[in-house]
Amino acid sequence: MTDKIKKSLDFVVKFYRPGAFKPDGWFIENPQPWWRRHAVAAAIAGIALVAAAAVATYVAFRPKQEAPAPLPAAPAAPAPEAPQAIPTTPEVRKVEFENASLSQVVAAIEATYGVKVAGLPAEEMRLTLSYQGTAEDLVLTINDLLGTNLVIEP
């Protein structure tokens, strides 16, 4: 053997230990820095933080939705010049109310259909309605909608 190979073998025999060159031994090839192992978790946490900040900013500074302005009340139906008799056949007419009080609605029904409505409750109620039909059906519809006990007097 050559002298150089003999010296190399002597060196290996002198310093050889079982498991010395394994990854769990003292010699580790290409160690990874700690931050590389946690880079994905840090990126996800950063994205979550930015998303939470965006949502909080939107909630804090979103434009307030204002209630729509109330529509003007429907013009009152003209009062009859002379009292009319209760019609023998029900008349189909169209009435419309926009945010009108129940007393205004009753007055418009009396003026439009020529009937007398009784049972007006004391509490303030408002109604928006477009209706085409008879006075009896209109009063029944209002009773169903508002839970009142309006009746048409004979």
Side-chain angles (χ1 to χ4, degrees), residues 10 24 35 47 66 69 71 75 79 85 90 119 124 140-141 151:
D10 289 341
D24 58 344
W35 57 268
I47 290 170
E66 297 179 13
L71 299 173
E124 178 68 25
L140 289 174
T141 302
V151 292

Side-chain angles (χ1 to χ4, degrees), residues 46-61:
I47 290 170
L49 184 64
V50 169
V55 168
T57 303
Y58 174 75
V59 168
F61 296 111

Side-chain angles (χ1 to χ4, degrees), residues 30-124:
N30 194 15
Q32 297 292 322
W34 66 270
W35 57 268
R36 231 184 246 180
R37 285 180 246 140
H38 302 292
V40 173
I44 292 172
I47 290 170
L49 184 64
V50 169
V55 168
T57 303
Y58 174 75
V59 168
F61 296 111
R62 71 176 169 208
K64 303 290 185 231
Q65 294 181 352
E66 297 179 13
L71 299 173
E81 296 174 4
Q84 299 176 354
I86 297 176
T88 55
T89 59
E91 293 184 60
V92 175
R93 295 192 180 171
K94 183 173 184 176
V95 291
E96 292 185 20
F97 310 105
E98 292 180 23
N99 199 21
S101 67
L102 194 55
S103 58
Q104 291 173 337
V105 171
V106 168
I109 292 171
E110 290 175 348
T112 304
Y113 292 99
V115 295
K116 180 73 176 154
V117 178
L120 188 65
E123 62 187 8
E124 178 68 25

